[in-house]
Amino acid sequence: MFEITWSSFTRIVTVGFLAYIGLVFFLRISGKRTLTKLNAFDLVVTVALGSTLATILLNNKISLFEGLTAFGLLIGGQYIMTFLAVRSKTFNKFIKSEPKLLYLNGNFLEDAMKKERINRVEILQSIRNQGKGSLEEVQAVVLETDGSMSVIQGEPGNTLANVKSDKKI
């Protein structure tokens, strides 16, 4: 349980270093968008890259080339998904959810909260996390496509332009 052989140590260090260099290389050529967390697909890719790196390091049945191929597949898939999403509104709607208005001008939007499985306590927590001490300081709370909540102070204006709401904004 607490043992490590010299050969396994050498493999972990060597393959780990090379896999890390390979991952950094792939991330540099793929651009900043690869590691953003703007939606669920972005988060899945980020987690999968970490899991793949761990597998390459610890599973001696996985070669460095197989691991680098997996990195390339994940990053290439992410690139294709975002490429298509930017160029096709239909594809974008298919893979991404819309931001949802949960609170507006002193009113909790109960139907939206039920659909999104969010309760008042979680909205209040999000408001506190933004440093607000009172609901009067908040005009709107939006559940974003990445699962985070945006707290809007002052008049929302056009920041709510793409936010789905059952209530007239």
Side-chain angles (χ1 to χ4, degrees), residues 44-61:
V44 167
V45 168
T46 302
V47 171
L49 287 171
S51 177
T52 302
L53 181 60
T55 301
I56 296 167
L57 289 172
L58 300 175
N59 188 339
N60 61 6
K61 293 180 181 171

Side-chain angles (χ1 to χ4, degrees), residues 15-26 49 52-53 56 62-75:
V15 171
F17 177 76
L18 294 173
Y20 181 77
I21 296 297
L23 180 58
V24 169
F25 173 76
F26 278 125
L49 287 171
T52 302
L53 181 60
I56 296 167
I62 305 293
S63 72
L64 175 63
F65 185 71
E66 288 171 320
L68 294 176
T69 303
F71 286 154
L73 178 67
L74 289 168
I75 291 170

Side-chain angles (χ1 to χ4, degrees), residues 33 35-44 46-47 78 92 95-100 102 116-118 126 130 141-151 162-163:
R33 177 67 170 88
L35 289 181
T36 61
K37 294 178 192 80
L38 297 175
N39 60 57
F41 289 102
D42 296 332
L43 178 62
V44 167
T46 302
V47 171
Q78 170 71 354
N92 189 47
I95 67 164
K96 293 181 183 176
S97 63
E98 294 177 317
K100 188 76 165 194
L102 302 175
E116 300 297 335
R117 299 182 321 274
I118 301 288
S126 182
Q130 296 288 321
V141 176
V142 177
L143 180 62
E144 301 293 354
T145 59
D146 67 352
S148 66
M149 284 191 232
S150 294
V151 177
N162 70 325
V163 176

Side-chain angles (χ1 to χ4, degrees), residues 65-120:
F65 185 71
E66 288 171 320
L68 294 176
T69 303
F71 286 154
L73 178 67
L74 289 168
I75 291 170
Q78 170 71 354
Y79 184 87
I80 290 168
M81 294 289 271
T82 55
F83 181 88
L84 293 173
V86 167
R87 285 161 180 77
S88 167
K89 288 182 181 179
T90 305
F91 188 75
N92 189 47
K93 276 188 153 190
F94 177 71
I95 67 164
K96 293 181 183 176
S97 63
E98 294 177 317
K100 188 76 165 194
L101 189 62
L102 302 175
Y103 176 87
L104 182 65
N105 297 326
N107 298 307
F108 288 93
L109 307 178
E110 299 291 339
D111 289 341
M113 291 165 56
K114 281 182 185 172
K115 279 183 188 174
E116 300 297 335
R117 299 182 321 274
I118 301 288
N119 61 40
R120 285 179 185 232

